[in-house]
Each structure stands twice: as C-alpha cells, then as structure tokens.
C-alpha cells in the first residue's frame, strides 16, 4: 500500500447531469481522485474533513485516494476469518509442506475462538475439519466443500469477529487459550502450543505490515502464559517390556524386511534412539554381546 503526503484539493465541481452532482476532487501524488455527493453541503463537509486530515500530516493512499486512518478503519471491518484466508492464499505457494500443515492447524484451532461472544458451533469437530482441510488448504479450493463443511463455514462467516476486536486483550487471551486445547477439550502438548502460537503471531505480524492494525502487533506485550502441561506418562499408552518383546518377535517373523525392522524398532525402544539415528547407525558404533541387544 503506497502512501503519499503530496495531496492537492480542487474546488467542488457541479455536474447537473448526474444524480450525485457535486464532486469533491483531489490529487494524491499526481493521481486524480474524486467522490460525488447529492448536495453541495455534503461535498463541502467532506472536502473540509479531508483537508483537515491532510493539514494534520496524515498520508493518503495513492490508489484509493483515502487517508491512512480511513483505510485502516475499512480494513478493520474485515473479519478474522477473511484475513486468515487471505494470508493463506498469499503465503501458500512459497511455503513448504510441513509449514503449510502447521499454519492450517494453528488457524483451524484459533479461528473458532475469534467469534462473537456466546457463539458456539454445534459440531466443533466438523468445523475444525472444514477449516483445516478446506478453508486453510489452498489446494482444496479447486473443488467446492461438502454441504456439511459449507454449512459450518457459513456459520463462521456470520459470527467471525472483525479485526478491530482483536486489539482487545481479553479476546486475544481467549484465542490463545484455545491453542492449549485439543478439539476434545484435553490439554495440548506444550511444544504444540508453542508452534501454533508462533504461526498465529506470524499472521498478526503480516496484518500489521498491511495496515490492519494501527501501530504494532497486538500480541506483543500481552500478559499471557500457556498453561503448564503435565508430562506424566499414561501406562495404558506405553507397552511394558514383555509386550515389547512379543511385538519385536512378531516383527522379526515377518517375511522380507522383518529382521531389518526388528533391529530398527529394537534400537528405538532399548536405546531410546530417534528414527534418523537408527537409520545411520553403523555396526562399528555398537558394543554387541554374544546375545541380547548390547549398547
């Protein structure tokens, strides 16, 4: 958005052949702009307002001919949902696949929280899936969403907050709190929250650059701390040594790559190695006993 302080005003021009016959004319950086009004009084009032803004040192947009404050006010009527989709559209083609998924996941999580107070969709899982798989997935825009997804997104369009509301700290905290929960209401992992918050912060930062916010990123300086997540291990989700031994024996018995996978998963379990570390592991790096796994 190109702005200029080079603004010149002309006298109001009367055009009797038009319904709105009084034209307020000006040039912004040499480009002529005009607005038409029904009466001369309305035109003079508008001209006086624009001249006052210019005298106060406010720049004007060279494309629309409007002062910066009016451009920002127009942009702040844009809803968060529309803003987030514009960001995806402009960022998508130059973004790697993993980053695309992170952005879609973060925006699909926070967007249902940036709605009018008291508005709750009756099927949150459907809404989340519609946002993640279609609304924030540019590749999916080639086809129309399903009727179920369209209904959920239509609901969101009606209730999504305008950008101006996102400068309210309470609204921002409500959105960030949503990043801390899964769709079933349970706590999300701390790393997941951090990753999603970083993605959302990037969207806000770009919105500041494009004039949707007055001065700075509303998230900067916000007093908010992610809830602590307990790191307790659920025994029901982790196999015990006897179960692991049976699983590895079953893998080893598979034809073809069974022995290879036996060693691969055995290293991951007994040595707590990452998959990439196991792939690059060499025999010379191991101390192998006559039997057992060694170290």
């Amino acid at each position: 958005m190109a702005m200029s302080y080079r603004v010149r005003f002309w006298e109001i021009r009367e055009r009797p052949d038009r319904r709105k016959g009084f034209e307020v004319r000006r040039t912004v950086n040499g480009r002529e702009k005009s607005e038409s009004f029904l009466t001369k009084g309305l035109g003079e009032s508008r001209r006086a307002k624009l001249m006052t803004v210019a005298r106060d040192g406010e720049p004007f947009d060279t494309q629309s001919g409007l002062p910066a404050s009016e451009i920002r006010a127009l942009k702040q009527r844009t809803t968060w949902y529309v803003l987030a989709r514009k960001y995806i559209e402009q960022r998508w083609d130059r973004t790697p696949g993993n980053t695309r998924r992170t952005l879609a996941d973060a925006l699909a999580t926070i967007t249902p929280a940036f709605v009018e107070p008291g508005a709750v969709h009756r099927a949150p899982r459907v809404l989340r899936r519609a946002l993640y798989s279609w609304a924030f997935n540019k590749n999916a825009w080639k086809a129309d969403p399903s009727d179920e997804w369209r209904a959920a997104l239509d609901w969101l369009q009606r209730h999504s907050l305008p950008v101006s509301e996102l400068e309210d700290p309470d609204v921002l905290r409500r959105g960030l709190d949503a990043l801390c929960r899964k769709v079933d209401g349970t706590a999300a992992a701390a790393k997941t929250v951090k990753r999603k918050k970083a993605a959302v912060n990037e969207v806000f930062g770009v919105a500041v650059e494009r004039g949707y916010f007055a001065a700075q990123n509303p998230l900067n300086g916000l007093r908010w701390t992610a809830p602590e997540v307990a790191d307790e291990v659920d025994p029901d989700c982790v196999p015990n040594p006897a179960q692991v031994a049976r699983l590895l024996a079953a893998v080893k018995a598979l034809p073809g790559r069974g022995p290879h996978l036996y060693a691969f998963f055995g290293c991951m379990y007994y040595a707590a190695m990452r998959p990439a570390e196991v792939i690059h592991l060499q025999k010379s790096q191991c101390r192998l006993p006559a039997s057992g796994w060694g170290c």
Side-chain angles (χ1 to χ4, degrees):
M1 184 173 60
M3 308 298 289
S4 175
Y5 293 94
R6 293 178 56 196
V7 185
R8 293 181 60 190
F9 294 91
W10 297 341
E11 294 296 328
I12 293 177
R13 180 167 61 182
E14 295 188 30
R15 308 192 70 174
D17 58 323
R18 297 193 178 184
R19 188 176 70 87
K20 294 184 178 181
F22 298 91
E23 234 177 15
V24 176
R25 299 176 298 156
R26 60 192 176 278
T27 59
V28 179
N29 200 27
R31 301 176 67 176
E32 184 177 346
K33 302 295 176 182
S34 64
E35 300 174 50
S36 298
F37 296 87
L38 284 171
T39 67
K40 188 173 183 179
L42 290 174
E44 289 177 341
S45 175
R46 175 60 172 165
R47 182 174 182 270
K49 180 179 179 181
L50 292 173
M51 292 179 68
T52 299
V53 170
R55 281 197 297 266
D56 288 342
E58 186 170 325
F60 281 59
D61 176 35
T62 57
Q63 184 173 1
S64 65
L66 297 175
S69 58
E70 292 189 10
I71 292 290
R72 186 165 56 251
L74 289 172
K75 287 190 172 185
Q76 289 197 324
R77 297 176 191 170
T78 302
T79 65
W80 164 258
Y81 174 63
V82 170
L83 173 64
R85 290 202 67 196
K86 284 183 179 179
Y87 177 86
I88 289 292
E89 181 178 17
Q90 295 166 359
R91 174 78 185 270
W92 189 266
D93 294 335
R94 53 188 174 86
T95 301
N98 286 337
T99 306
R100 290 177 179 178
R101 285 189 287 273
T102 297
L103 284 171
D105 192 19
L107 294 176
T109 304
I110 201 170
T111 298
F114 285 157
V115 294
E116 298 168 352
V120 179
H121 193 263
R122 57 183 176 80
R125 289 182 181 274
V126 172
L127 179 58
R128 176 78 69 89
R129 178 53 59 183
L131 290 168
Y132 179 80
S133 299
W134 193 87
F136 300 133
N137 179 359
K138 188 178 177 181
N139 291 341
W141 297 354
K142 300 171 185 176
D144 293 333
S146 66
D147 291 342
E148 185 179 42
W149 287 4
R150 182 182 294 279
L153 296 175
D154 287 346
W155 177 91
L156 184 62
Q157 285 182 314
R158 293 193 301 272
H159 296 283
S160 183
L161 288 174
V163 172
S164 59
E165 296 288 333
L166 302 184
E167 293 182 303
D168 184 336
D170 290 336
V171 172
L172 292 176
R173 291 190 189 97
R174 187 171 74 229
L176 295 179
D177 287 346
L179 298 181
C180 303
R181 298 187 299 273
K182 301 177 184 178
V183 70
D184 62 2
T186 58
K191 289 184 178 179
T192 300
V193 176
K194 184 177 180 180
R195 184 174 64 251
K196 289 183 177 182
K197 184 177 183 294
V200 171
N201 189 65
E202 173 66 16
V203 179
F204 271 87
V206 172
V208 172
E209 291 179 357
R210 293 176 180 163
Y212 286 92
F213 297 105
Q216 63 177 2
N217 186 336
L219 293 175
N220 292 345
L222 182 71
R223 296 177 63 86
W224 178 84
T225 304
E228 295 184 5
V229 179
D231 292 328
E232 296 180 2
V233 177
D234 185 354
D236 293 336
C237 298
V238 181
N240 59 46
Q243 291 172 324
V244 169
R246 292 198 297 272
L247 288 170
L248 291 175
V251 170
K252 187 177 183 180
L254 293 173
R257 291 172 58 84
H260 173 85
L261 295 175
Y262 171 68
F264 179 81
F265 290 114
C267 288
M268 289 179 62
Y269 180 78
Y270 291 112
M273 298 177 68
R274 299 184 178 92
E277 293 173 332
V278 180
I279 290 173
H280 294 92
L281 182 65
Q282 299 180 14
K283 187 175 181 178
S284 60
Q285 298 172 321
C286 304
R287 296 196 297 270
L288 302 175
S291 61
W293 285 94
C295 60

